[in-house]
Amino acid sequence: MLSALVALALGSHVLPLQGGSDVELVHQLAIGLERPVALLAQPQRVWKKQQIEWRDDEGPAKPLRVKLGLDLTRTAAIGTSAGGYPESFYFLLKRSGYAKGFKTAKLKVDEDGPRFSVRTADGPVVLGTACAPLKQARLSWHWFFENAYLAIDAQNVTESEYVRLIADCLGAKVEKKDGGYYLDFDPAAYRRRGISTLKRLAAASPQRGGDAGDDLYSAAVLAWLTDAQIANLFDRPDDNHTVTYDASNAPDVLAAAHQRLLDRFPVEDDHVQRSKSVVELWDGMKNVIDWSVPPKVVASNQGLFLSMYSGRRDGHYFTWVW
């Protein structure tokens, strides 16, 4: 059984967490912090046993970010994700696999006048199920949040407080629409969480068998794109919605693109063992690409970004996107 929040001398606090599933962690945080908590769930995630410590003059936000990787915009109620987005949620081509990672679960709801209490007990619930307690106002959302799964423990909340909690959890903006609430896409939250996701994946690339250069380049692009450009990528649910941008005045993006080249191809005599197909591709490209022209950014809503190089071959202009 979870121990209650322990108050120490000099206004210090210790919250022991027993770990476990997303649902179990959320319940532990809600009891220990005495506030509503909702977490964007990740399939099969298991939290380790640990403790959170803070002083009265600091509050719990920093240790929650550092120890648990939570993305927090406020702490009166904690709607959040951990480590950015779950990988299979962030990359849209993997979204169907994300949903298949959860079993059907129920939402426990206790109503008491205009206030109610909600808790996921046997597993996270899909966003549509999470809306069940809302009686007075309809909740709709941007297509990016479709099939999101949430772990929730919210005691004694109003409808508006509950909607705000879900919005914080998803990284969404709340708008009034058609007599109800609409959870709109927030490009600033997407940038913040997307960069955290990509950097986390890059750090784990040796274990994942992935390419850190791809993830770090995409993180650099995401940091550079404006809110309007990011919002444009997600204005419709189109898997092929891509936009090309001139990045000649974006030194961080160009540096990351060059590092990506160095990581993948024998750009320099670095004696790194590479496959025959990679060497042959590089041999076919290195002398025809115009390296004096900075590569452009090919952006999409898929989570990873590409570079477009240009050149001439056999008298014809061509582009190489990878």
Side-chain angles (χ1 to χ4, degrees), residues 30-57:
I31 291 177
L33 297 174
E34 298 181 338
R35 65 198 71 185
V37 180
L39 174 69
L40 180 60
Q42 176 175 309
Q44 287 83 53
R45 177 161 52 194
V46 177
W47 295 88
K48 67 179 181 180
K49 184 177 180 179
Q50 57 189 303
Q51 65 182 27
I52 305 298
E53 303 178 22
W54 70 93
R55 298 195 310 269
D56 282 340
D57 58 347

Side-chain angles (χ1 to χ4, degrees), residues 217-292:
Y217 170 72
S218 293
V221 172
L222 202 48
W224 169 69
L225 291 174
T226 66
D227 285 2
Q229 289 169 330
I230 294 173
N232 177 52
L233 294 174
F234 291 88
D235 66 352
R236 60 183 185 272
D238 184 351
D239 290 345
N240 297 313
H241 186 194
T242 59
V243 182
T244 302
Y245 295 108
D246 180 356
S248 57
N249 292 320
D252 291 345
V253 172
L254 296 180
H258 183 65
Q259 185 60 52
R260 187 168 170 247
L261 275 177
L262 293 175
D263 292 345
R264 184 71 62 86
F265 297 106
V267 178
E268 300 172 353
D269 186 17
D270 50 18
H271 305 291
V272 175
Q273 194 72 24
R274 292 181 171 87
S275 68
K276 181 180 178 181
S277 61
V278 168
V279 173
E280 290 177 347
L281 176 59
W282 180 249
D283 286 342
M285 291 295 176
K286 64 182 180 181
N287 294 323
V288 294
I289 290 176
D290 184 352
W291 297 106
S292 68

Side-chain angles (χ1 to χ4, degrees), residues 104-180:
T104 301
K106 295 181 180 179
L107 192 68
K108 291 186 175 182
V109 181
D110 294 319
E111 299 181 2
D112 184 13
R115 291 184 174 272
F116 54 88
S117 297
V118 179
R119 182 185 170 193
T120 48
D122 54 350
V125 297
V126 72
L127 179 54
T129 300
C131 296
L134 300 176
K135 307 297 184 184
Q136 303 300 318
R138 177 177 176 270
L139 182 65
S140 57
W141 50 84
H142 186 277
W143 64 266
F144 179 73
F145 305 120
E146 194 66 36
N147 293 325
Y149 276 74
L150 292 74
I152 306 169
D153 193 327
Q155 303 299 310
N156 195 35
V157 294
T158 64
E159 288 202 353
S160 61
E161 290 169 345
Y162 186 65
V163 169
R164 174 73 186 277
L165 179 71
I166 292 177
D168 288 349
C169 175
L170 297 173
K173 296 184 292 187
V174 181
E175 296 183 357
K176 293 287 187 69
K177 183 178 181 181
D178 300 329

